[in-house]
Amino acid sequence: SHVKALRWPAAIISLALLALNLFAASEVFGAKNWLTIAGFSLQPSELIKVAFIYVGATSLNRMFRSKSILLFIAFSAICVGGLALMGDFGAALIFFATFLVIAFMRSGSIATVLLAVTSAAMAGTLVLSIKPHVAQRFATWGHVWEDVSGAGYQQTRALSAAASGGLFGLGAGNGWLKYVFAADTDLVFAFLCEEWGLIIGLCAVAVIVILAVFTVRSAKVGRSSFYTIAACAAVAILTIQTILNVFGTMDLLPLTGVTFPF
């Protein structure tokens, strides 16, 4: 009951943060996702991720209460729409995919149909909200070597650096990718592969994959729908974020500017 009581404050604080971000944040490279308070910068979307899982799990804990599901749908739509308006396409994509995971874990009734319809509407919002800098990244996808000095600058450097590291890497601090813009955030996988080697890079990915497998196995014996949904939603966020970061760096997916988890 204490958990459910905190659901509303968590949702309200999240939406307030989102609104503050939308109107007060400074735009950094096309996305208004950074908020600076007294010299300290943070991304409110990171805090909203936790609240999103929490609100989703508590809302869907009571499986047959349509009111709570409808409220969660509205909350999800506002979160995704707000992030899309900010131009933070990567975060909006993560929220949308996590919403689908939470929706999938709920079964039966008209509410399921509503969830599916809302999912489609949210996907439409994402497509419509693609801003020029995101559209450019999609246009570059698969063609990074055609514009090495322009749109493909980050990924071509990342691919070259990852290849030069080999299996065992050049050694900590010996790489050159660190001098490329946003290498320590957007290009973490290539950064690891260059300095520590492909083996360590794959181990970093394996950590998230093993955590996901462990979560799914544990979910089968979970006694509470709240913990089961929360655990699966949390690991979905980590997994989706890993996929977007690693595949984006390797040019298997568009580079969305999402960091590697942790």
Side-chain angles (χ1 to χ4, degrees):
S1 61
H2 294 301
V3 170
K4 287 173 191 167
L6 291 169
R7 181 177 68 191
W8 287 106
I12 291 162
I13 291 165
S14 299
L15 296 178
L17 270 172
L18 202 61
L20 187 66
N21 207 114
L22 206 53
F23 298 110
S26 50
E27 190 165 311
V28 180
F29 302 104
K32 291 176 72 173
N33 50 1
W34 284 100
L35 202 61
T36 308
I37 302 165
F40 179 76
S41 296
L42 78 153
Q43 280 194 0
S45 62
E46 296 299 321
L47 301 172
I48 298 168
K49 276 179 194 171
V50 180
F52 188 74
I53 295 167
Y54 180 71
V55 173
T58 48
S59 298
L60 302 186
N61 193 21
R62 300 283 292 277
M63 287 297 186
F64 299 104
R65 282 201 46 202
S66 57
K67 183 186 168 190
S68 64
I69 300 153
L70 290 169
L71 288 169
F72 176 63
I73 291 171
F75 177 64
S76 305
I78 293 167
C79 282
V80 173
L83 288 163
L85 284 172
M86 282 189 275
D88 193 354
F89 186 75
L93 205 59
I94 291 167
F95 272 80
F96 177 60
T98 308
F99 168 79
L100 290 181
V101 169
I102 296 174
F104 173 73
M105 294 190 74
R106 195 202 173 281
S107 61
S109 77
I110 297 166
T112 311
V113 180
L114 278 171
L115 285 169
V117 172
T118 312
S119 301
M122 286 163 71
T125 307
L126 283 179
V127 173
L128 291 171
S129 70
I130 293 176
K131 297 199 172 185
H133 80 287
V134 181
Q136 186 189 4
R137 282 176 173 179
F138 271 79
T140 309
W141 177 32
H143 305 282
V144 291
W145 294 101
E146 292 170 19
D147 190 8
V148 176
S149 302
Y153 184 88
Q154 279 178 293
Q155 282 146 302
T156 49
R157 269 48 174 195
L159 289 165
S160 302
S164 69
L167 284 176
F168 304 104
L170 303 173
N174 295 334
W176 53 265
L177 187 65
K178 60 189 173 192
Y179 301 116
V180 174
F181 170 73
D184 59 345
T185 53
D186 295 10
L187 313 173
V188 170
F189 183 69
F191 195 81
L192 266 180
C193 288
E194 183 195 23
E195 296 197 358
W196 292 90
L198 181 64
I199 294 170
I200 297 294
L202 291 175
C203 281
V205 175
V207 167
I208 307 292
V209 174
I210 292 164
L211 181 65
V213 172
F214 173 76
T215 305
V216 172
R217 284 171 64 97
S218 302
K220 292 176 184 175
V221 292
R223 293 183 179 181
S224 158
S225 60
F226 169 71
Y227 288 119
T228 304
I229 293 170
C232 289
V235 88
I237 281 183
L238 293 175
T239 310
I240 297 153
Q241 196 162 323
T242 304
I243 290 168
L244 288 176
N245 180 270
V246 175
F247 287 1
T249 303
M250 297 291 104
D251 197 37
L252 295 170
L253 284 176
L255 186 69
T256 50
V258 169
T259 60
F260 197 92
F262 306 116

